[in-house]
Amino acid sequence: MSDQHTSSASLASLRPPALLSGTPRFAEPMHLTRPRVPHERMFAELIASIFRSRWFTNDGTLVRQLEEALQHRLGTGFCAAFCNGTVALQVALRSLDLSGEVITTPFTFPATVHAIEWNGLTPVFCDIDPETYNLDVSRAAELVSDRTSALLPVHVFGNPCDVTGIDRLAEQRGLKVVYDAAHAFDVVHRGRPIGCWGSLSVFSFHATKLFHTGEGGAVVGPDDVMRRRVSLLRNFGIVNEDEVCGVGLNGKLSELHAALGIALFELVDEEIRARERLTARYNRSLAAVEGLRFQCRSADTLPNYAYYTVEIEEERFGLSRDELHIALRAENVLARKYFYPLCSQNEPYKYLPSAEPAKLPNANRLASRILCLPLYGELQEEDVDKIIECVLAARAAAPSVRAAVARHALLASGSSA
Ligand code: T4K
């Protein structure tokens, strides 16, 4: 599909959306993402090596091998592998001896904010920039108080934050910075790998990520002092058989997960290039569609194409994000509303003074307009074309789609009454 397909003549010839015709364009669910699987032989050999050694966890050979490969690839002083990104975030914050308040974004996965709360710290929500979707640094500066000890910005959808602005603010106010880089594997910004900014950065290697270990994550940072602190906290704070030096937890990655990571490591470049091609294909057809907006990517960046997001401007598109989401579901396209609801709207946080919607206008607007479309390396080009067609068909028949969504909602409320 090309931009010619968005002309009014070709739009008129589109098959009606499934919500109206009853026939979905996809017979099977089209997932948001599908994890890469490794070459079976290589993976089997790695697993066999674990069985031979009978060493499954606790500083095993494969975890070390993976950490070394990642440290090299991510260009950081150290890389400590974790059982998941959430625990990695908890430990990263813990390792910096923070107190009081941590300023963060509400436009993120709940894990970001939970990690602050689990450390007994208070999250303070800061609004985002409406173009980049990242923490608005000038707003963050206004929120810094005597109680603030750190900033926890997120490179959301892999788009680098205003790292120089954040650096400056942190330096001026004596703050630590932990970047949640869960989406930003392999991104390079201003000539530096993304994990080189801030005090520490955290990656997620969950199965839904560009590079994954099934479950997994990592803390990366500059030097051996931080490596030691983070590694101790990851293993209960145990120094040796006679000494426990801190309130650690069990954040270790197992050898089985490391084996998956090692086997997938060689496929990362292929995965990124495939996503890049598919992103270009989406863009060719969707970039000029009235009523769709796109995240403004930070300049001077080598991106990783981790996500493909669209922002729906209801008045110009003819449908709200939620209506389009329902229309896509009817086509069996499982697009996702990342990140809705905002973390500031979640029960544990919604009573915080900083969570008031009036203080977070950009984040609240975006959370009601954002949609992530399927993107992963093994996604077929024809499938991308069909997903595009689903979006365009819904738009072309917007008034009828809207009426059908309202009818369904009415029926659903009737049947649950
Ligand atoms: N910080 C940020 C900014 C994050 O986004 C995340 C996690 C974290 C921190 C925490 O990192 P971890 O502790 O998770 O390492 C998913 C992931 O579970 C989560 O890792 C991720 N962010 C978040 C953005 O997405 P769900 O609940 O939306 O995932 P789920 O199960 O609905 O799966 C999404 C799609 O992937 C579905 O279409 C099905 C498909 N899928 C999923 C899995 C697990 C597969 O095809 N195979 C699979 O094995 O949270």
Side-chain angles (χ1 to χ4, degrees):
M1 177 164 292
S2 75
D3 42 8
Q4 289 141 5
H5 289 79
T6 58
S7 70
S8 44
S10 58
L11 283 179
S13 66
L14 281 176
R15 184 154 75 71
L19 211 50
L20 306 179
S21 69
T23 316
R25 280 177 169 76
F26 289 93
E28 300 293 326
M30 170 52 66
H31 286 283
L32 183 73
T33 187
R34 301 259 83 184
R36 268 266 165 177
V37 291
H39 297 305
E40 279 180 21
R41 192 149 154 223
M42 181 179 185
F43 185 58
E45 279 167 15
L46 288 163
I47 296 297
S49 77
I50 298 172
F51 291 176
R52 274 195 305 277
S53 70
R54 286 181 159 65
W55 196 274
F56 282 83
T57 184
N58 290 11
D59 207 19
T61 323
L62 296 184
V63 167
R64 282 189 184 202
Q65 190 183 326
L66 180 65
E67 285 179 336
E68 213 177 293
L70 286 168
Q71 178 181 336
H72 192 251
R73 175 142 200 153
L74 299 171
T76 51
F78 76 88
C79 171
F82 273 78
C83 55
N84 59 55
T86 306
V87 173
L89 274 171
Q90 285 173 237
V91 166
L93 292 171
R94 184 91 194 183
S95 71
L96 293 169
D97 286 332
L98 306 176
S99 61
E101 298 179 348
V102 176
I103 296 174
T104 194
T105 167
F107 188 71
T108 183
F109 194 64
T112 313
V113 188
H114 290 343
I116 299 173
E117 189 73 27
W118 270 92
N119 271 287
L121 302 162
T122 306
V124 173
F125 293 111
C126 174
D127 206 5
I128 55 167
D129 178 286
E131 305 298 324
T132 64
Y133 306 169
N134 285 327
L135 199 77
D136 177 337
V137 185
S138 54
R139 284 289 300 124
E142 293 164 11
L143 293 169
V144 176
S145 75
D146 297 347
R147 294 178 301 281
T148 313
S149 60
L151 306 170
L152 177 45
V154 180
H155 303 297
V156 86
F157 305 134
N159 198 28
C161 293
D162 173 5
V163 286
T164 41
I166 289 169
D167 260 7
R168 208 175 311 121
L169 175 61
E171 204 171 312
Q172 282 165 357
R173 306 300 299 265
L175 307 174
K176 298 286 197 304
V177 181
V178 176
Y179 281 107
D180 182 335
H183 305 168
F185 185 85
D186 225 34
V187 169
V188 175
H189 184 51
R190 301 193 170 186
R192 285 172 74 188
I194 200 71
C196 292
W197 302 91
S199 319
L200 294 170
S201 294
V202 172
F203 293 95
S204 163
F205 305 145
H206 183 262
T208 53
K209 298 294 185 290
L210 170 61
F211 166 75
H212 76 94
T213 56
E215 286 279 2
V219 178
V220 299
D223 53 41
D224 275 345
V225 177
M226 286 315 299
R227 179 205 296 269
R228 190 170 148 71
R229 274 201 216 171
V230 165
S231 306
L232 281 171
L233 288 170
R234 177 181 61 177
N235 188 33
F236 314 100
I238 295 176
V239 182
N240 55 43
E241 281 187 35
D242 304 312
E243 193 186 348
V244 174
C245 73
V247 186
L249 43 64
N250 182 355
K252 289 165 280 136
L253 188 73
S254 81
E255 289 289 278
L256 295 163
H257 291 89
L260 186 53
I262 290 168
L264 284 169
F265 199 75
E266 57 173 32
L267 302 178
V268 177
D269 287 321
E270 199 179 306
E271 179 68 23
I272 295 176
R273 294 289 72 85
R275 288 175 188 232
E276 181 180 10
R277 280 194 298 279
L278 297 169
T279 297
R281 203 167 181 93
Y282 269 127
N283 283 342
R284 274 203 295 282
S285 294
L286 295 183
V289 172
E290 204 187 330
L292 294 185
R293 290 181 87 241
F294 297 86
Q295 185 181 27
C296 177
R297 312 299 297 189
S298 302
D300 198 1
T301 297
L302 294 178
N304 66 0
Y305 305 96
Y307 293 86
Y308 191 83
T309 64
V310 291
E311 200 184 321
I312 293 103
E313 294 180 307
E314 181 173 350
E315 304 73 30
R316 295 173 65 223
F317 189 80
L319 295 171
S320 68
R321 184 277 310 275
D322 289 346
E323 288 165 334
L324 178 61
H325 183 242
I326 293 170
L328 293 179
R329 289 254 148 176
E331 305 279 12
N332 248 332
V333 175
L334 308 185
R336 295 296 289 268
K337 301 189 239 180
Y338 293 144
F339 288 101
Y340 170 87
L342 286 180
C343 291
S344 47
Q345 289 304 298
N346 291 337
E347 188 59 32
Y349 309 114
K350 67 181 182 194
Y351 306 105
L352 290 172
S354 66
E356 269 176 47
K359 293 179 179 163
L360 305 166
N362 296 331
N364 276 282
R365 190 180 324 105
L366 185 62
S368 70
R369 295 171 24 152
I370 195 83
L371 205 54
C372 282
L373 299 181
L375 181 67
Y376 51 93
E378 289 170 323
L379 182 63
Q380 298 301 302
E381 294 192 342
E382 309 82 73
D383 288 334
V384 169
D385 290 348
K386 265 164 71 179
I387 296 165
I388 293 166
E389 204 184 296
C390 294
V391 173
L392 298 179
R395 186 179 187 279
S400 316
V401 168
R402 176 162 280 179
V405 170
R407 240 186 349 266
H408 281 267
L410 209 62
L411 286 174
S413 68
S415 60
S416 66

